[in-house]
Amino acid sequence: MLDIMLPHYGELPLLKIAVESVLAQTDERWRLTVFDDNPAERVTGVPEYFAGLDDPRVRYERNPRNLGITRNFQQCVDRAEAPFMVMMGCDDVMLPGYVARVHALIEQYPDAVLVQPGVEVVGADGAVVRTLADTTKRKVYAPKIDGTVRMAGEELAVSLLRGNWLYFPSLAWRTSEAQAVGFDLELKVIQDLKLILALVSRGGSLVADSEVVFQYRRHNESLSASSAVTGGRFSEARAFFLSAAKDMDAHGWPRAGKAARWHLSSRIHALTMLPAAAKQRSAGSVRVLTRYAFGKPR
């Protein structure tokens, strides 16, 4: 079985698309659990939708109080029971062959800790889009994947610290390993990378595949997008990368430590946000973004 954990905070229409994409899987070895973190006034129609499904494979729970994004992620990890789990975005789409492909990759690489299947990016309207961020991921930071690639150790850590080319909501995680490490509850938008690096440091391997079976929805309303414009994302990122550099050095991975100190893709991302911050006439955000992009590594 594959536990598909869906931490929800948003509106019903996109959630329905996500859920129905799970129901449409060709491989039935899955179970879906939705943790609704919306406050009471925003859950109109959501409980009724799940009650109407009347499907024993689908479980819906509303958190009695708002946990926030990272604590809801941690709840997903804590409550997963199957050997592998997915933390699907509540606005993303699994193409019909996702579960089948993930199971096939796990069977082929039984020691894998993370599985990254092929992903295409869609916009708010569901149409496939080509954004600068995603093109850069694939052309500059991501390894060249034609078929299936297994990565581990310092090679993988360096690759991810230069530029995180993974798509968090599409990843399949070995449940026991994710539970052993857990999320850093103080982080808001870079918590996935910290957990992944911890798993790699523990000896975990990642299997990346080129067969597209997942649609990742990118839109400007996301927490990471809004915090990037205000500069909040990069204040968090600076502290994270400096801490990661010390961890990599202590682990005996100096190349990974150097990559963390420079965090080039994150600096470039900050530069791309400067025009939007200037347009909003936010002098504070412009200062944060500029200092982050051009600051010397420590």
Side-chain angles (χ1 to χ4, degrees):
M1 294 295 292
L2 181 69
D3 262 329
I4 301 170
M5 314 300 282
L6 201 160
H8 175 56
Y9 187 93
E11 305 298 333
L12 180 58
L14 288 177
L15 174 63
K16 288 175 65 176
I17 293 172
V19 171
E20 288 162 12
S21 76
V22 176
L23 295 172
Q25 291 299 299
T26 58
D27 189 322
E28 295 187 354
R29 291 176 291 170
W30 58 266
R31 176 177 52 202
L32 173 65
T33 304
V34 178
F35 291 117
D36 192 345
D37 204 38
N38 276 305
E41 63 271 17
R42 291 192 55 182
V43 298
T44 304
V46 178
E48 293 81 1
Y49 167 69
F50 284 100
L53 288 179
D54 192 26
D55 190 322
R57 301 171 299 173
V58 180
R59 303 182 294 186
Y60 168 80
E61 294 185 24
R62 187 171 78 82
N63 297 333
R65 61 181 180 85
N66 177 258
L67 297 178
I69 185 169
T70 306
R71 282 178 169 77
N72 209 18
F73 285 172
Q74 186 60 47
Q75 177 175 228
C76 290
V77 171
D78 293 339
R79 299 280 296 276
E81 300 170 355
F84 275 81
M85 60 172 289
V86 180
M87 276 178 286
M88 182 182 182
C90 57
D91 56 358
D92 297 320
V93 176
M94 285 184 174
L95 298 178
Y98 176 89
V99 171
R101 187 58 185 157
V102 167
H103 276 302
L105 291 168
I106 293 169
E107 290 165 6
Q108 186 177 357
Y109 298 91
D111 64 338
V113 167
L114 291 161
V115 175
Q116 173 63 81
V119 175
E120 63 185 7
V121 180
V122 299
D125 60 357
V128 176
V129 296
R130 295 184 183 278
T131 69
L132 177 60
D134 296 293
T135 299
T136 303
K137 267 190 179 188
R138 289 175 175 150
K139 299 293 185 181
V140 180
Y141 305 118
K144 307 307 178 189
I145 300 171
D146 183 13
T148 308
V149 173
R150 181 186 180 278
M151 300 179 68
E154 188 174 15
E155 174 194 10
L156 177 55
V158 169
S159 178
L160 294 174
L161 286 164
R162 284 175 176 165
N164 184 5
W165 46 272
L166 303 176
Y167 287 91
F168 172 39
S170 70
L171 287 170
W173 308 68
R174 184 176 295 278
T175 304
S176 60
E177 283 293 294
Q179 289 174 339
V181 176
F183 286 101
D184 183 335
L185 300 180
E186 299 302 314
L187 299 179
K188 295 181 179 179
V189 293
I190 204 166
Q191 65 277 78
D192 57 322
L193 182 56
K194 183 167 185 179
L195 174 53
I196 291 166
L197 287 172
L199 296 178
V200 175
S201 297
R202 286 166 57 90
S205 63
L206 177 140
V207 173
D209 188 60
S210 61
E211 182 178 332
V212 175
V213 290
F214 193 93
Q215 292 182 327
Y216 173 82
R217 195 180 303 273
R218 191 179 289 284
H219 47 81
N220 291 331
E221 290 76 18
S222 69
L223 174 64
S224 60
S226 61
S227 63
V229 174
T230 63
R233 175 190 181 100
F234 300 105
S235 296
E236 178 178 292
R238 176 185 294 277
F240 162 74
F241 282 115
L242 292 177
S243 175
K246 293 178 181 177
D247 291 342
M248 294 296 106
D249 288 343
H251 196 65
W253 288 353
R255 290 190 300 116
K258 182 178 180 180
R261 287 186 179 85
W262 281 101
H263 46 275
L264 288 176
S265 66
S266 188
R267 290 171 183 263
I268 293 169
H269 187 193
L271 284 175
T272 66
M273 294 294 105
L274 274 171
K279 187 176 181 180
Q280 293 179 2
R281 299 183 179 179
S282 174
S285 296
V286 170
R287 283 196 298 272
V288 170
L289 293 169
T290 302
R291 186 166 58 247
Y292 183 85
F294 296 106
K296 292 183 179 180
R298 298 180 190 176

